Amino acid sequence: MNVIETKIDKNSDQYKKNYEDMKVLVDELHNELKRSADERSPKAIEREKQSGKLPAKKKLELLLDKNTAFLEIAPLAAKGLYDGKIHKAGYISGIGMIEGREVGIAVNDATIKGGSMYPMGVKKGLRMQAVCMENRLPAVNLIDSAGAYLPMQSEIFPDLWDGGRTFYNQAMMSKMGIPQIAAVMGLCTAGGAYGVAMCDEIVHVKGHGAIFLGGPPLVKAATGEEVTADELGGPNLHCIESGVSDYVAEDDAHAIQIIRQIVKNLPEPDKAKLTMKEPKPPIYDPEELYGIVSPDLSKPFDIREVIARMVDGSEFLEFKELFGTTMVCGWAHIHGFPVGILGNNGVLFSDSALKATQFIQICDKRKIPLLFLQNITGFIIGKAYEQSGITKNGHKMVNAVSTASVPKLTVIVGASFGAGNYAMCGRAYSPRFLWMWPNAQIGVMGGEQAADVLVSITNDQNERLGKPSLTKEEVDFIRQPVIENALKEGNAYYSTAQLWDDGILDPAKTRDTLGLAISAALNAPIRDDEYGHGIFRM
C-alpha cells in the first residue's frame, strides 16, 4: 500500500485557525463528558453510601479487567433533556473486557433519580441490546433501578420501541444463544423483575437486592398484607424458595466477583478471522486533525488527510482514484484490522455513486469491514444530472449500503445532510456503530439552504397570487429562525442527546475507538450469506 503524502501546511493561517477553533470544541467535549460522569447530587451520593452500595463507576472499575479499555456507548444520552440532570440517561453502558472476553455491559446509576428509567433510558437500553445482538456479545447488567419514571409512563410503556421491547429482545437474545447475566443490586420491580428473571444467571446481593412484581406499598394497598422488601423479594426468598436467583452475594463487590467467574466459565467465543497485519501508528500525529478540519463546514478539506491520521502507517490503497473523484474509496488497516474506507470529497455524482457501489460489493464479497467517513451535503441535483441517471445510480449505492452484511462503522466528520446521510450509512442503515465529531452537523439540509428554499417557495407563491416579492426585512424574518433552529437541532450535542449516534468523539481518539469497535464486531460472523444483494436498476 502507498503512504498518503500529506499536503497540509501546518504553518498556514487557516491550519492554525482550524486548530484553535477545533481545540475549543474538543475541550468543551471533554468538559461535558466529565460533567456527565461526575455531576451528582451530594444527597444522592450520601444516601447511596449509607445503603452500603458501591457507586456505578466503582462497580464498573471492579467488573472490568485491569488496564483495559472501555468503549462507552452514548455517554451524553439525554443531555439537556428532562431537568438537565439525567446524565447518561441514568446509567453507564458499553463494551469492556471481563476475564479476557469482550462483553456488553450496563450499570444503573442509582444516584440519578434512584435509577428511575426515563424514555431516553429505555432507548439507550434497546440500543445496547442491539449492540449485543449484532455483535454476539454476552450481556452483563448490574441492576439498581426504581423502575419506570411514572410521570412519563406514556412515553415508556406501550409502543413498539418502548419498555416492553426490552423483554422481547431478551427472549430473542436467548434464542440466539447470547448469554445474559444480571446482578440484583437494588430494587427490581414490575418490568424490572421480568428483565432479571429472563437472564440466564442471576446474582442476588444481600441487604439491598430485591425482586418483585409489586413492592411492599402496592402489596399492602392491594391485599392488606404488610411485608418488607427483603421478605417479599430478597435473596433468601429467591435463592432458597422461588429459585428465581442463582447466587447469593454478601455485597456489591462480592457480586461482581461472582459475575467475573460466570463470564470466565462461558465457552470461548469463536471470533471471525480477518487477514490481519501487525498494527502500527499513523506516521502523522492524529491531533493534526484539529488543524485540518474546520468547524466551519463551508471550508473544504481532503478526506485523504483524515484517513492518513487514522490508518496504520498512513498507508492506503486507493480504488479508482481518477474516477468519481468526489468519493474516495480504498483499503487500509486500523490497529491491524483490514477495512474498506469510503470518504466524501464533495457532493455525490453518478460516477462517484457507481464507484462506491462497486467498492462496497467488493468489500462485502471479500469479508472486509466497511468504514464510512461522512462529510456530505447530498447528491447532485438538476435537469442534466437527472437525465444522466443520478436517481437510479444513487439508488444503487443506497441498495449496496443497505444489503452489505459485513460490519459497517460510520463517523460523521463534518456535514451529514439529506440522502447523503443515507448513502453514507447513516443510523437508518444499521451501521454496527456510529459516531460524530464535535464539529459535525446533521439534518435534511443545512440551515442556510433550508432558509433559502422557504424564501424561494414563498416568493413563488406570491408571484402566483400577484403579490410583490419579499422585502429584505421579510426575507430575514423567514430565514433567521430557520437557520437558528437548524443549528440547534443539527449539532452534535442535540444528536447524541437523542441517541442518533453512539457518542461524540475527540477526532484524535477516533482511530482507537474504531479499533475497539472492529474487534467487538468480530464476535459475530463476518458476513451473512443468506440474502446477497438486491436488484440494481440499470
Side-chain angles (χ1 to χ4, degrees):
M1 292 186 181
N2 300 319
V3 173
I4 297 175
E5 185 176 341
T6 188
K7 297 177 182 177
I8 297 299
D9 178 6
K10 292 193 286 184
N11 294 314
S12 71
D13 291 340
Q14 188 62 58
Y15 178 90
K16 292 176 181 177
K17 184 178 188 317
N18 289 350
Y19 195 104
E20 182 180 332
D21 292 346
M22 182 66 84
K23 192 65 168 61
V24 169
L25 295 182
V26 170
D27 289 343
E28 180 187 4
L29 171 62
H30 289 305
N31 288 336
E32 289 297 335
L33 290 170
K34 187 176 188 306
R35 179 170 170 259
S36 75
D38 297 338
E39 186 181 80
R40 302 293 183 271
S41 156
K43 182 179 179 180
I45 293 172
E46 182 60 28
R47 184 167 57 243
E48 183 176 61
K49 184 178 178 181
Q50 291 297 324
S51 71
K53 299 177 183 178
L54 292 175
K57 286 198 296 183
K58 183 63 177 178
K59 291 175 183 176
L60 182 63
E61 177 189 328
L62 294 174
L63 184 64
L64 297 174
D65 294 348
K66 292 190 181 302
N67 301 316
T68 59
F70 179 63
L71 178 56
E72 187 169 0
I73 301 296
L76 296 177
K79 172 180 161 50
L81 302 181
Y82 315 121
D83 64 358
K85 298 178 182 179
I86 312 303
H87 300 299
K88 300 179 184 289
Y91 61 95
I92 305 169
S93 67
I95 301 170
M97 299 294 291
I98 301 177
E99 294 291 343
R101 179 175 185 144
E102 287 152 322
V103 174
I105 297 166
V107 184
N108 285 114
D109 188 343
T111 62
I112 298 178
K113 306 292 185 182
S116 294
M117 191 63 71
Y118 281 70
M120 203 53 64
V122 172
K123 186 174 182 180
K124 183 173 177 178
L126 295 175
R127 172 61 189 147
M128 198 60 217
Q129 287 182 319
V131 167
C132 289
M133 288 189 281
E134 290 171 353
N135 301 291
R136 304 296 196 275
L137 297 172
V140 169
N141 294 284
L142 308 187
I143 303 170
D144 183 2
S145 173
Y149 182 63
L150 294 179
M152 303 187 76
Q153 61 176 318
S154 65
E155 298 178 47
I156 295 171
F157 174 69
D159 206 359
L160 174 61
W161 297 110
D162 283 348
R165 190 72 179 189
T166 302
F167 315 125
Y168 173 89
N169 285 347
Q170 285 190 267
M172 297 306 293
M173 289 166 72
S174 182
K175 181 179 179 180
M176 294 166 68
I178 296 173
Q180 299 174 74
I181 303 157
V184 180
M185 295 176 159
L187 300 183
C188 299
T189 309
Y194 289 120
V196 174
M198 293 184 75
C199 290
D200 299 355
E201 297 180 70
I202 301 168
V203 182
H204 205 137
V205 179
K206 286 183 177 179
H208 46 259
I211 307 169
F212 31 62
L213 296 183
L218 183 59
V219 169
K220 183 176 181 180
T223 69
E225 180 184 10
E226 293 193 9
V227 63
T228 67
D230 190 62
E231 292 169 337
L232 185 62
N236 286 339
L237 183 142
H238 284 307
C239 286
I240 297 172
E241 298 181 45
S242 76
V244 169
S245 302
D246 307 302
Y247 308 88
V248 178
E250 297 298 322
D251 53 28
D252 288 349
H254 184 212
I256 291 168
Q257 289 177 5
I258 296 172
I259 284 178
R260 288 182 55 83
Q261 292 173 23
I262 293 170
V263 173
K264 187 176 183 179
N265 191 51
L266 295 175
E268 185 176 348
D270 184 19
K271 292 189 70 169
K273 301 295 190 293
L274 296 176
T275 303
M276 302 287 291
K277 284 191 175 181
E278 187 67 27
K280 52 185 175 181
I283 65 172
Y284 308 110
D285 185 350
E287 284 199 6
E288 292 175 4
L289 291 168
Y290 301 162
I292 293 167
V293 179
S294 171
D296 181 355
L297 298 187
S298 67
K299 297 284 194 302
F301 59 89
D302 188 346
I303 199 67
R304 295 178 187 86
E305 298 288 358
V306 174
I307 295 169
R309 288 153 182 84
M310 282 188 187
V311 302
D312 291 2
S314 302
E315 296 173 348
F316 184 60
L317 176 60
E318 188 163 349
F319 176 73
K320 284 189 183 301
E321 181 179 358
L322 303 179
F323 180 80
T325 55
T326 61
M327 171 63 71
V328 174
C329 302
W331 290 277
H333 287 76
I334 295 178
H335 282 284
F337 298 109
V339 289
I341 301 175
L342 299 95
N344 301 119
N345 258 357
V347 298
L348 286 163
F349 291 85
S350 280
D351 55 0
S352 47
L354 290 171
K355 169 180 168 178
T357 300
Q358 182 183 358
F359 182 73
I360 291 166
Q361 289 178 308
I362 291 172
C363 290
D364 199 38
K365 293 300 181 186
R366 294 179 184 175
K367 300 184 178 181
I368 297 173
L370 291 164
L371 169 61
F372 295 82
L373 300 176
Q374 284 197 20
N375 181 30
I376 183 66
T377 54
F379 285 91
I380 193 69
I381 58 174
K383 181 179 177 181
Y385 301 109
E386 292 295 348
Q387 287 176 331
S388 66
I390 184 62
T391 299
K392 68 178 181 180
N393 293 324
H395 137 75
K396 294 184 178 87
M397 183 177 174
V398 170
N399 194 319
V401 170
S402 303
T403 57
S405 52
V406 293
K408 297 175 288 190
L409 301 95
T410 302
V411 184
I412 301 176
V413 301
S416 179
F417 294 134
N421 169 281
Y422 300 161
M424 288 296 291
C425 201
R427 190 66 135 180
Y429 290 78
S430 295
R432 297 285 183 90
F433 302 95
L434 183 149
W435 300 276
M436 298 183 81
W437 281 2
N439 60 300
Q441 293 181 28
I442 188 169
V444 174
M445 62 181 72
E448 295 279 352
Q449 293 86 348
D452 289 342
V453 168
L454 286 176
V455 169
S456 178
I457 290 172
T458 304
N459 275 329
D460 288 345
Q461 290 173 338
N462 286 351
E463 184 178 352
R464 288 196 301 272
L465 296 171
K467 296 181 178 180
S469 296
L470 296 170
T471 65
K472 183 181 182 304
E473 290 74 17
E474 289 171 331
V475 168
D476 291 341
F477 182 79
I478 291 175
R479 294 182 85 255
Q480 198 58 36
V482 175
I483 293 171
E484 289 176 358
N485 193 60
L487 289 173
K488 174 190 172 186
E489 296 188 355
N491 72 49
Y493 287 107
Y494 189 92
S495 169
T496 208
Q498 306 292 330
L499 270 162
W500 296 347
D501 56 62
D502 293 314
I504 304 174
L505 298 181
D506 178 342
K509 304 297 182 185
T510 303
R511 164 184 163 81
D512 292 340
T513 300
L514 290 170
L516 293 170
I518 296 169
S519 178
L522 297 183
N523 285 277
I526 193 68
R527 181 163 62 81
D528 179 0
D529 290 311
E530 185 176 355
Y531 297 112
H533 292 286
I535 296 170
F536 291 168
R537 181 173 296 280
M538 301 306 294

